[in-house]
Amino acid sequence: MDSNLKREIIIDNVENPFHKGLENKDDFIKANTHNESCIDNIDLYVKIENEKIVDAYFEGEACAITTSATSIMLKNIIGKTKEEARDIMREYYKMIEEEEFNNLKLGELNAYQDISKQPSRKKCATLPFQTLEKTLIISDMEIKDKN
Amino acid sequence: MQREDFPMLNKDIIYFDNGATTFKPKEVINGVLDYYTNYTSNAHRGDYDLSQKVDYLYESTREVVQKFINAESSKEIIFTSGTTMSLNMIVSSFMRYYLAKGDEVLITKSEHASNVLPWLELEREKGIVVKYIPLDKDYKVTLENIQKVVTSKTKVISLAYVTNVIGDIRPIKEISKFAHSKDILMVVDGAQSVPHLKTDVIGDDIDFLAFSGHKMLGPTGVGVLYAKEKYLKVMKPLLYGGGMNSRFESDKKVEYKDLPLRLEAGTQNIAGVLGLREAILYLEKIGIDKIHKHEVELKKYLLKKLETIDNIEIYNKQSETGIVVFNIKNIFSEDTSRYLNHYKICVRAGNHCTKMLKDELGVKNTCRISFYLYNTKEEIDKLIAILKDNKRIYEVIL
């Protein structure tokens, strides 16, 4: 992916974020991540039925990297099972940490391939997935409780 | 003003974050270096020449500070690690014993965390009640609004002299006069005022004042607690140990020293105090009124230029200090500061430790420009050229 295309994808998701803002929050699991080193503040809402993410939204204020990465992440995970979402997450973290990764699993998330060149931005790029993991853990625990 | 006195200004950067900390002139750096290089020793201890020299410089710095803020006596000057420690001492070592359950303390939503959290802790611990003075449309504190919330239970008003985001100057003299007519104590956070405005604790009749050295050209880790002697006399030490006791025996009889040493246990930040001395002498040489005038002029100049850029929102046009808070419309403040950083311009993005101000301002995060004596109109021109070109922001930061 060339750098202009990467930038275009990011800017498009900053200016037209996917699933930003949610009216009726019933049945959604909510998680918030305050990034200790900066002021990004995202609330993530995830609806899980039978181990599958059936819908997800976000709210909050964050920098361009975090906002766009959240938007793109949501496009990628809706309709996926929790395990599939975690699989995407693992490949994404590998990419961020400059390890070998499967780019076919990441779609537009490949736009953050170069983020490792700016170490201070890694946190911004991983913030959405950290928040997603929080919601998945809450979901795991709820299922455990039911059993 | 003398830009060549500041080594940090040779680094080809534009520094607009003086509300956070300031650059140091050679006089301050050399003052600290000289202590470590030529006469390192402890104060109040030895009979040898070195220690006596340190003793003299350390103690006479108290007088330098006393004159600088126009206090009655040098005994009223206590060295601390900074504004945060000074405010915590006021609350933990005095107010904890002075206030009773149900007593009210008035602050505002534009106070810095250090003038909020110690009070909230005391509220939790002792059941005092912290109340907010409503701000007017320009986020200012007026005597009228204070009168609206004062009750017979109000015992303390604790305010920043100049706030660190809006930069408004509070009418402290007027507020003190009213407060004292009702037996209310006046606590002032001087972190953003002492470096920029003439301080007169007698003229303003301030009971307690806290400020930091590093925001006024001095070293980090040193600050001042001022209080009227009658209050310091009954203030309990926050720390007990060396330097503050006059005798203690195995039968457990203990005697503490008089002010100010009773409140300065342990070896103090001597290098910091000596650096602060140089900073104050430097500021006095330039003239604090001249510094304030210069900053206000820079602010007016910046505002005029910012108005020529159509997608800039400014939140504090009215305040008469060198602070401007703004956002580029629809751009997150941190992205703006990263964009400016690309051109080596340092501004602060975020909530600036005033997390409650968002209730009043309607916006959580802003970019803050805060001037000091060494900033220039040429620097502002460079900033404006880059802000004008802000449609390129994502091209630059992504």
Side-chain angles (χ1 to χ4, degrees):
Chain A
M1 204 183 271
D2 87 301
S3 57
N4 280 335
L5 180 59
K6 285 178 195 160
R7 190 184 294 138
E8 264 172 44
I9 290 170
I10 293 173
I11 294 174
D12 185 43
N13 280 279
V14 174
E15 290 174 347
N16 311 293
F18 176 74
H19 276 207
K20 187 175 181 195
L22 173 64
E23 284 290 313
N24 184 356
K25 298 175 169 69
D26 295 349
D27 304 328
F28 281 82
I29 298 170
K30 178 191 168 181
N32 173 282
T33 295
H34 288 288
N35 189 341
E36 291 291 329
S37 67
C38 66
I39 49 181
D40 294 323
N41 184 7
I42 291 278
D43 285 329
L44 195 67
Y45 297 90
V46 178
K47 193 176 188 175
I48 295 171
E49 287 171 3
N50 302 324
E51 289 294 282
K52 195 171 173 182
I53 299 169
V54 293
D55 211 354
Y57 289 82
F58 77 106
E59 286 177 349
E61 273 190 32
C63 67
I65 296 284
T66 300
T67 303
S68 57
T70 309
S71 167
I72 298 172
M73 176 187 80
L74 293 187
K75 288 178 191 170
N76 276 265
I77 59 155
I78 293 174
K80 301 276 194 319
T81 64
K82 279 157 66 176
E83 190 39 48
E84 285 166 341
R86 280 183 162 128
D87 192 35
I88 292 170
M89 192 183 310
R90 277 189 292 272
E91 293 304 319
Y92 183 73
Y93 281 134
K94 281 188 207 163
M95 177 185 80
I96 300 287
E97 294 303 332
E98 293 179 280
E99 292 165 21
E100 233 175 85
F101 71 103
N102 182 352
N103 63 357
L104 298 174
K105 287 187 177 175
L106 292 183
E108 281 190 335
L109 289 168
N110 282 299
Y112 303 95
Q113 270 175 26
D114 300 330
I115 213 80
S116 52
K117 288 178 193 157
Q118 301 179 66
S120 67
R121 308 307 306 268
K122 278 188 190 176
K123 265 194 173 173
C124 312
T126 52
L127 197 58
F129 280 100
Q130 285 171 28
T131 319
L132 175 67
E133 180 59 22
K134 283 189 188 178
T135 65
L136 298 184
I137 288 171
I138 295 169
S139 164
D140 291 345
M141 279 164 28
E142 279 174 358
I143 288 162
K144 225 175 172 183
D145 283 351
K146 275 181 202 163
N147 295 339
Chain B
M1 297 197 200
Q2 285 82 5
R3 284 176 61 87
E4 61 278 10
D5 292 345
F6 294 83
M8 282 295 295
L9 292 174
N10 298 330
K11 300 194 183 300
D12 191 29
I13 54 170
I14 295 179
Y15 187 73
F16 285 151
D17 194 16
N18 294 286
T21 197
T22 57
F23 289 169
K24 321 305 171 197
K26 280 181 286 191
E27 284 82 345
V28 169
I29 297 166
N30 291 340
V32 172
L33 204 63
D34 197 25
Y35 167 68
Y36 283 130
T37 314
N38 296 317
Y39 57 92
T40 300
S41 58
N42 214 327
H44 314 125
R45 302 289 199 282
D47 289 322
Y48 45 93
D49 291 351
L50 279 181
S51 175
Q52 280 172 13
K53 178 174 181 177
V54 170
D55 213 16
Y56 166 75
L57 285 172
Y58 183 87
E59 281 308 317
S60 62
T61 301
R62 237 186 266 283
E63 288 163 27
V64 170
V65 176
Q66 176 208 340
K67 286 192 193 105
F68 187 64
I69 65 169
N70 192 33
E72 190 91 38
S73 150
S74 64
K75 283 187 205 165
E76 297 171 326
I77 307 302
I78 308 297
F79 293 116
T80 65
S81 68
T83 308
T84 301
M85 179 176 170
S86 300
L87 286 168
N88 273 275
M89 276 175 78
I90 295 166
V91 177
S92 296
S93 302
F94 182 87
M95 296 300 175
R96 172 179 283 146
Y97 309 100
Y98 178 78
L99 297 176
K101 190 176 177 185
D103 284 348
E104 293 171 0
V105 174
L106 301 183
I107 62 170
T108 73
K109 289 184 183 173
S110 52
E111 300 310 310
H112 186 280
S114 298
N115 189 28
V116 176
L117 300 181
W119 295 115
L120 295 186
E121 281 300 318
L122 196 64
E123 182 173 56
R124 229 167 279 163
E125 182 190 316
K126 284 209 66 168
I128 63 158
V129 181
V130 176
K131 289 168 104 180
Y132 305 111
I133 302 162
L135 302 176
D136 78 0
K137 63 172 182 23
D138 293 325
Y139 318 109
K140 287 185 178 172
V141 171
T142 61
L143 186 58
E144 250 184 1
N145 280 352
I146 291 180
Q147 284 164 337
K148 275 184 210 160
V149 285
V150 161
T151 72
S152 59
K153 288 181 173 175
T154 308
K155 292 289 186 295
V156 180
I157 299 174
S158 186
L159 296 174
Y161 208 122
V162 169
T163 57
N164 72 317
V165 179
I166 300 300
D168 55 313
I169 304 172
R170 267 78 180 265
I172 294 295
K173 189 173 183 165
E174 194 188 14
I175 297 170
S176 283
K177 198 176 165 195
F178 167 75
H180 293 139
S181 76
K182 303 259 177 202
D183 286 328
I184 296 169
L185 292 180
M186 195 68 211
V187 176
V188 174
D189 167 1
Q192 300 292 341
S193 68
V194 176
H196 307 276
L197 295 176
K198 176 73 193 126
T199 306
D200 182 352
V201 291
I202 296 177
D204 288 343
D205 205 9
I206 292 168
D207 297 310
F208 297 85
L209 174 75
F211 61 97
S212 296
H214 72 100
K215 292 186 200 286
M216 50 188 281
L217 310 182
T220 52
V222 66
V224 171
L225 161 66
Y226 157 83
K228 286 179 182 163
E229 199 175 337
K230 59 180 171 181
Y231 300 128
L232 283 181
K233 266 190 174 159
V234 294
M235 188 181 265
K236 265 180 145 339
L238 192 66
L239 303 171
Y240 295 87
M244 56 78 70
N245 67 80
S246 43
R247 57 187 281 260
F248 58 97
E249 307 291 341
S250 52
D251 64 3
K252 297 176 189 170
K253 276 190 189 133
V254 173
E255 238 177 69
Y256 298 130
K257 284 183 182 167
D258 284 336
L259 289 176
L261 298 181
R262 190 171 56 85
L263 298 173
E264 291 180 2
T267 292
Q268 297 296 294
N269 181 359
I270 297 169
V273 168
L274 301 185
L276 177 64
R277 171 197 188 89
E278 295 301 326
I280 292 175
L281 296 177
Y282 188 92
L283 290 171
E284 282 177 336
K285 194 174 75 192
I286 305 252
I288 207 93
D289 291 335
K290 198 172 153 192
I291 294 169
H292 181 228
K293 214 177 127 201
H294 174 70
E295 292 164 0
V296 171
E297 201 179 308
L298 289 180
K299 174 166 180 176
K300 280 184 186 153
Y301 185 78
L302 172 62
L303 287 179
K304 209 176 81 194
K305 297 264 171 176
L306 280 176
E307 276 162 16
T308 63
I309 309 173
D310 56 11
N311 65 343
I312 300 271
E313 266 175 302
I314 303 161
Y315 303 101
N316 69 334
K317 285 183 191 171
Q318 310 301 329
S319 64
E320 289 190 330
T321 51
I323 299 179
V324 176
V325 275
F326 73 99
N327 271 326
I328 303 175
K329 273 180 199 159
N330 301 320
I331 302 288
F332 194 58
S333 62
E334 206 183 7
D335 288 333
T336 304
S337 71
R338 281 180 198 280
Y339 171 62
L340 295 175
N341 176 57
H342 182 80
Y343 299 98
K344 297 188 175 176
I345 298 177
C346 311
V347 305
R348 171 89 182 267
N351 50 49
H352 322 292
C353 292
T354 53
K355 297 194 181 187
M356 300 189 294
L357 185 62
K358 61 178 183 286
D359 298 354
E360 303 277 337
L361 215 54
V363 52
K364 273 186 196 163
N365 297 302
T366 53
C367 290
R368 181 184 70 182
I369 288 171
S370 48
F371 296 124
Y372 211 10
L373 53 125
Y374 37 68
N375 290 121
T376 65
K377 288 184 179 171
E378 291 71 37
E379 290 177 325
I380 294 175
D381 290 340
K382 283 181 192 160
L383 167 81
I384 292 295
I386 289 153
L387 282 177
K388 270 191 176 155
D389 205 20
N390 71 56
K391 60 179 181 306
R392 291 182 59 241
I393 184 165
Y394 289 134
E395 201 180 308
V396 171
I397 65 165
L398 292 175

